[in-house]
Amino acid sequence: MSKEDLSRSAEKKTPWLFRTYAGHSTASASNALYRGNLERGQTGLSVAFDLPTQTGYDSDHPLALGEVGKVGVPVAHLGDMRTLLEGIPLDRMNTSMTINATAPWLLALYVACAEGQGIARDKLRGTTQNDILKEYLSRGTYIFPPRPSMTLETDVIAFTYREIPKWNPVNICSYHLQEAGATPVQELAFALANAIAVLDAVKAGGQVPAADLARVVGRISFFVNAGVRFVTEMCKMRAFADLWDEICRERYGVTDEKLRRFRYGVQVNSLGLTEQQPENNVYRILLEMLAVVMSKSARARSVQLPAWNEALGLPRPWDQQWSLRLQQIVAYETDLLDYDDIFEGAPVIEAKVAELMTAARAEMARVEDMGGAVAAIEGAYMKERLVESNSRRLRAIEAGEQPVIGVNLYTESEPSPLTAGADGGFLAADAGAEADQIQRLQAWRAARDGTAATAALAALSQAATDGSNIMEPSIACAHAGVTTGEWAGTLREVFGEYRAPTGVAAAAPAADASLAHVCGRVEEVSKRLGRRLKILVGKPGLDGHSNGAEQIAVRARDAGFEVVYEGIRLTPAQIVNAALEEGVHVVGLSILSGSHLPLINEVLSGLRDAGLGEVPVVAGGIVPAEDEAALRAAGVAAVYTPKDYDLTAILADIVEIVDRATREAA
């Protein structure tokens, strides 16, 4: 059989969309990666944007220092978007963009780019995540307060309903809720409560006629997580489908079964990937994928898999190809797609689904009684519950109650040949990418028509002020050469900025006997110092993945520390100032975006300039071995990476670091 015959045979089965979540360094480097993946059989794009793009800053903004091109691709203007999508026919591509606070802007750039290719808007297919509510609970890439953010979200929905009918304008994202610690019940309840808040806002906004609301409901999609307990996760997906059908019928009166369908894409759990014995992650990823493809009645519409080495650093093209091949083997070599739902009528499955649905309905009712998801976010209820659930999960791993192979069970290991190469098993960030991006950005600003850009921004400001839909003014801004930072800065002036509750202060304290020794040492050192041992937990830069910082803050509080934790997105100068004003004994910095070297060095320099050079600094995050050595050489007292999963042991270490440092300084 020829290669062409094999390809046609494979196409007779209709699987989900094959995606890999990708983007790094520059638009041109990411474009090369996308085109290579498409040639290898990927069937849709999933674009990862860097943190400045996600949070509405240009690459040369002070807060963007060290963050440009690290966790995704920088897209600062229409020229970057054109480069990113060069050679990719947008009328034949299904593009998912993981973007939230700046979703209207990135969609505007995408539309402007398509128009430049001569492609009509109604030919475009894809998804903007555009789920701002979960950003206040997990990833932290929000900009504005919740209520104006919801207005922007509904603007995108109303625009796409009219102009891009094949586009999914919002992708309600439970993925990051699980990453933040959500149980299956919380993931169901909070995600569905967020979806209800979005649709209620669309109804109240008046941009969509009541008679057309069902069409909007039919374009709502979801993006979920699948953990390694694949039976529970598969039942969760069946519960999602049944609950969504129930909500669409009973709350929104949708009679068309097709429009009530639970349409979702998935990335399987990155939270469970381990730095220890990372080759085991391949098996975890496969099992997690089975949870979302085995049950036909709740099968994902698109699947993107992490690479085995994402706990180590940025995956290489070969690592992404390996994950893509895993999907293709399951879809084309197995007989999975040849049968109807193999779980229909199974009593164990039906009982578990019913249990999850009952518990999720109860949690949704609690949120509804508070006034809905927006009120529950503003009042910190949902965030506090996630912090508590994550604390329980970590304690279970530390105690060995939740086994993780290679971490707390079967830890003896042969050296992995997959990490033995000169690159350490992952792709190192391009050290020159940030400078190159800034140079191109400045050249773009110099070459554009400044008068046209200023006029477009004024029209955007007027639309935001008077409540008009901002999408057409945003597309006009894109064509006029406006930058990401200018677009977001204009809206900041209208809506203001926001700092979400951390959920740490009200998280329930733990009754944990394993903390007794650490509590005793905290008391001893505090008594010697004449005041309570105080730790500052800081998140410098734009990294909004705060789970680790939150858990350190909670465990330190339970151990008797006085804790200073002000949440995400702080400048090094703000952290230094807080250390000075609060009189802390130790500074702990958490960075997972790869920007640890420039940001931590800036904090160290600032502490020395403020006369606090004797205050020890410890750091945590995804830090390669060579960077750990560099941080220690710069003066960092200790570096903790994902292999250091025992938070109590970390705090015990920090107490001894403070004890030594204060004795030496005396």
Side-chain angles (χ1 to χ4, degrees):
M1 185 178 288
S2 69
K3 181 178 178 181
E4 291 73 18
D5 290 336
L6 281 169
S7 178
R8 281 193 293 272
S9 176
E11 287 170 2
K12 289 179 182 177
K13 298 181 178 183
T14 306
W16 49 92
L17 278 170
F18 299 157
R19 285 185 169 130
T20 52
Y21 181 51
H24 68 92
S25 302
T26 64
S28 58
S30 298
N31 174 261
L33 179 62
Y34 296 160
R35 292 169 73 168
N37 284 343
L38 291 169
E39 288 169 1
R40 297 181 189 100
Q42 184 173 303
T43 53
L45 289 183
S46 182
V47 182
F49 297 100
D50 73 355
L51 288 173
T53 304
Q54 292 184 51
T55 52
Y57 293 105
D58 282 334
S59 302
D60 56 357
H61 190 279
L63 270 172
L65 174 68
E67 305 280 18
V68 177
K70 284 285 171 54
V71 302
V73 58
V75 176
H77 48 73
L78 183 56
D80 283 342
M81 185 64 84
R82 288 171 178 156
T83 301
L84 182 69
L85 300 171
E86 184 179 356
I88 298 174
L90 299 187
D91 54 342
R92 290 188 279 126
M93 182 50 55
N94 192 307
T95 303
S96 172
M97 296 192 286
T98 301
I99 196 72
N100 295 283
T102 53
W105 174 239
L106 270 297
L107 179 58
L109 289 174
Y110 193 87
V111 170
C113 184
E115 289 175 343
Q117 291 185 7
I119 297 169
R121 294 174 178 181
D122 63 2
K123 301 298 182 185
L124 300 178
R125 292 179 301 148
T127 301
T128 38
Q129 190 167 99
N130 196 30
D131 176 12
I132 196 60
L133 293 182
K134 70 96 174 49
E135 294 299 314
Y136 301 105
L137 301 172
S138 51
R139 288 179 68 248
T141 65
Y142 56 83
I143 302 173
F144 317 111
R147 294 179 192 277
S149 292
M150 286 291 285
T151 299
L152 298 182
E153 186 167 335
T154 57
D155 279 356
V156 171
I157 293 169
F159 170 79
T160 56
Y161 138 81
R162 292 191 305 269
E163 300 288 325
I164 319 177
K166 296 179 182 178
W167 195 269
N168 301 318
V170 59
N171 197 217
I172 301 297
C173 182
S174 74
Y175 175 87
H176 295 100
L177 300 181
Q178 186 178 129
E179 297 281 297
T183 65
V185 168
Q186 289 170 335
E187 189 179 343
L188 284 164
F190 292 173
L192 292 170
N194 288 351
I196 288 169
V198 170
L199 287 174
D200 284 357
V202 171
K203 282 180 66 176
Q207 295 192 63
V208 176
D212 289 346
L213 183 64
R215 285 174 52 198
V216 170
V217 172
R219 295 314 304 177
I220 301 295
S221 63
F222 290 76
F223 186 70
V224 306
N225 204 328
V228 76
R229 294 174 61 82
F230 75 95
V231 174
T232 298
E233 294 294 309
M234 186 265 291
C235 291
K236 180 189 75 181
M237 298 321 306
R238 292 170 70 96
F240 251 135
D242 290 348
L243 285 167
W244 182 241
D245 185 80
E246 184 178 285
I247 289 166
C248 293
R249 279 187 290 106
E250 297 180 4
R251 191 179 185 104
Y252 300 109
V254 180
T255 57
D256 186 336
E257 182 181 358
K258 183 177 179 181
L259 298 179
R260 299 196 307 264
R261 191 173 298 159
F262 184 75
R263 300 178 310 115
Y264 77 98
V266 64
Q267 174 163 315
V268 305
N269 192 301
S270 294
L271 179 68
L273 302 184
T274 64
E275 180 181 359
Q276 303 94 320
Q277 301 178 22
E279 61 277 1
N280 295 342
N281 293 329
V282 175
Y283 307 120
R284 294 185 177 106
I285 291 166
L286 171 59
L287 289 169
E288 290 164 355
M289 185 182 73
L290 291 177
V292 296
V293 299
M294 287 186 72
S295 177
K296 185 176 181 181
S297 67
R299 182 171 291 152
R301 295 284 291 269
S302 67
V303 177
Q304 59 190 46
L305 303 181
W308 67 278
N309 54 353
E310 289 194 17
L312 306 177
L314 189 67
R316 300 158 299 191
W318 183 87
D319 305 314
Q320 293 196 335
Q321 175 184 295
W322 197 6
S323 287
L324 176 62
R325 293 292 181 255
L326 191 155
Q327 292 202 56
Q328 292 166 331
I329 289 167
V330 171
Y332 296 133
E333 292 191 26
T334 76
D335 58 355
L336 178 68
L337 299 178
D338 294 341
Y339 297 93
D340 288 331
D341 200 299
I342 60 176
F343 296 101
E344 205 67 49
V348 171
I349 299 299
E350 292 189 352
K352 184 63 177 178
V353 171
E355 173 193 326
L356 290 170
M357 290 177 66
T358 298
R361 287 191 192 100
E363 186 62 57
M364 290 168 66
R366 279 190 283 274
V367 172
E368 186 80 8
D369 289 344
M370 294 173 188
V374 174
I377 287 168
E378 291 173 333
Y381 169 77
M382 294 164 81
K383 181 66 172 179
E384 289 163 6
R385 298 293 78 77
L386 294 177
V387 172
E388 287 178 0
S389 296
N390 208 13
S391 294
R392 287 193 296 271
R393 181 187 68 84
L394 290 172
R395 289 192 195 99
I397 293 173
E398 292 169 12
E401 297 165 3
Q402 180 175 325
V404 182
I405 304 305
V407 174
N408 61 8
L409 189 65
Y410 303 117
T411 56
E412 302 79 10
S413 176
E414 291 292 327
S416 171
L418 295 177
T419 60
D423 60 4
F426 59 91
L427 181 66
D430 182 355
E434 183 166 327
D436 290 345
Q437 171 66 13
I438 290 172
Q439 184 178 18
R440 284 191 299 273
L441 169 62
Q442 293 172 346
W444 174 269
R445 288 198 198 105
R448 72 184 178 184
D449 182 339
T451 301
T454 299
L457 286 169
L460 174 69
S461 178
Q462 185 60 47
T465 301
D466 64 24
S468 301
N469 190 300
I470 66 158
M471 283 307 302
E472 291 293 359
S474 295
I475 295 169
C477 282
H479 283 299
V482 165
T483 67
T484 296
E486 292 167 340
W487 179 89
T490 297
L491 297 186
R492 280 184 171 96
E493 292 176 1
V494 177
F495 299 135
E497 291 192 83
Y498 184 72
R499 294 195 68 79
T502 67
V504 167
D512 192 342
S514 68
L515 271 177
H517 172 69
V518 181
C519 292
R521 286 293 291 141
V522 170
E523 290 299 323
E524 290 171 7
V525 175
S526 297
K527 185 175 181 180
R528 180 177 66 78
L529 294 173
R531 63 186 179 93
R532 178 62 51 187
L533 198 56
K534 185 182 282 192
I535 182 172
L536 167 63
V537 179
K539 288 283 299 175
L542 298 178
D543 172 29
H545 287 86
S546 58
N547 303 335
E550 290 159 1
Q551 293 307 314
I552 285 287
V554 169
R555 191 70 60 88
R557 179 205 64 188
D558 292 348
F561 282 81
E562 186 176 346
V563 178
V564 180
Y565 176 59
E566 298 177 346
I568 63 172
R569 218 179 301 166
L570 300 172
T571 65
Q574 288 172 319
I575 290 172
V576 170
N577 188 60
L580 184 64
E581 290 188 351
E582 295 285 350
V584 301
H585 298 105
V586 59
V587 174
L589 303 176
S590 170
I591 306 173
L592 283 84
S593 65
S595 58
H596 42 269
L597 287 178
L599 290 173
I600 292 174
N601 279 318
E602 193 165 337
V603 171
L604 290 169
S605 176
L607 289 172
R608 287 191 294 268
D609 291 345
L612 300 177
E614 77 286 354
V615 174
V617 173
V618 299
I622 300 176
V623 181
E626 61 271 23
D627 289 357
E628 180 177 343
L631 289 173
R632 287 183 176 276
V636 173
V639 177
Y640 306 102
T641 67
K643 70 179 182 301
D644 303 298
Y645 69 94
D646 190 330
L647 300 188
T648 300
I650 290 174
L651 286 170
D653 191 31
I654 290 173
V655 175
E656 301 311 317
I657 288 170
V658 174
D659 192 25
R660 288 194 302 271
T662 52
R663 288 181 187 277
E664 291 170 2

